[in-house]
Amino acid sequence: MTKNITTTDFSAVKAADKAQSYLFDNFCELLTRVFMALEEEEWATQAAWDIAFGPSVSDADAAWRLVAFQAETVTAVQPLSVDDLLLHRMAGLMSRAVSATGIDALETVRSRAMHCIAQAPMATAAAVRDMAKEALSTIDQMLEHALVCDGDDMSVRALPLAA
């Protein structure tokens, strides 16, 4: 009598779940870094750190470079689902936002982010939609910061943030 043994390989399913989890976690880390960079920028402005020591030693500059690095980390992961695709696209737009050299480029990134969120399928998870909206909110804050710094004669530079 022959025994038929069927094996099922779940490693592909586990790998897909792990990549999706890592992408979501890395995107959350990206947003956290953006919020921290915006706070650092505000602190540096209030403390006149950049004026006293020059922009090369600013913690805000380092924070924005970390944001750019984290955005590259998120965009390096291949999207496996509709949720991943939205996060991947928003991370790419965040990367473009921190490296934007002008207000017009930042406004273009903002409008593309709005379009991305609007065009996301209805099957997108609510948590992912919320994260994408938070990313849009941070792009709005970057734009607001750039507009304020652009009108400030004491500011050496407003953009790119991750210079």
Side-chain angles (χ1 to χ4, degrees):
M1 181 164 132
T2 328
K3 293 185 180 180
N4 291 335
I5 300 174
T6 305
T7 59
T8 306
D9 184 17
F10 291 107
S11 61
V13 174
K14 288 180 184 177
D17 288 342
K18 190 180 283 189
Q20 184 175 10
S21 171
Y22 286 153
L23 191 113
F24 185 81
D25 291 345
N26 284 331
F27 192 81
C28 291
E29 178 71 21
L30 171 63
L31 288 182
T32 301
R33 288 184 191 266
V34 171
F35 287 127
M36 290 171 54
L38 286 166
E39 285 180 12
E40 191 66 41
E41 195 77 47
E42 182 66 27
W43 180 84
T45 302
Q46 289 176 355
W49 181 265
D50 288 338
I51 296 167
F53 296 101
S56 61
V57 289
S58 174
D59 289 339
D61 292 337
W64 286 116
R65 283 199 269 322
L66 284 173
V67 169
F69 177 76
Q70 186 66 28
E72 289 175 14
T73 301
V74 175
T75 56
V77 177
Q78 283 292 82
L80 300 175
S81 67
V82 173
D83 295 340
D84 288 352
L85 185 60
L86 180 58
L87 295 178
H88 188 268
R89 287 178 178 167
M90 292 302 292
L93 290 170
M94 296 290 289
S95 177
R96 291 184 64 193
V98 297
S99 63
T101 56
I103 301 290
D104 292 340
L106 202 51
E107 287 176 343
T108 301
V109 168
R110 182 184 179 280
S111 68
R112 288 186 180 167
M114 289 174 58
H115 179 76
C116 231
I117 292 169
Q119 296 299 317
M122 295 306 288
T124 305
V128 171
R129 275 191 184 277
D130 289 343
M131 295 303 286
K133 288 176 184 175
E134 283 296 321
L136 178 60
S137 173
T138 61
I139 292 170
D140 287 340
Q141 290 177 347
M142 287 182 224
L143 184 58
E144 181 181 319
H145 169 74
L147 289 171
V148 167
C149 288
D150 194 32
D152 183 9
D153 292 336
M154 298 176 73
S155 178
V156 177
R157 58 112 185 118
L159 295 172
L161 294 167

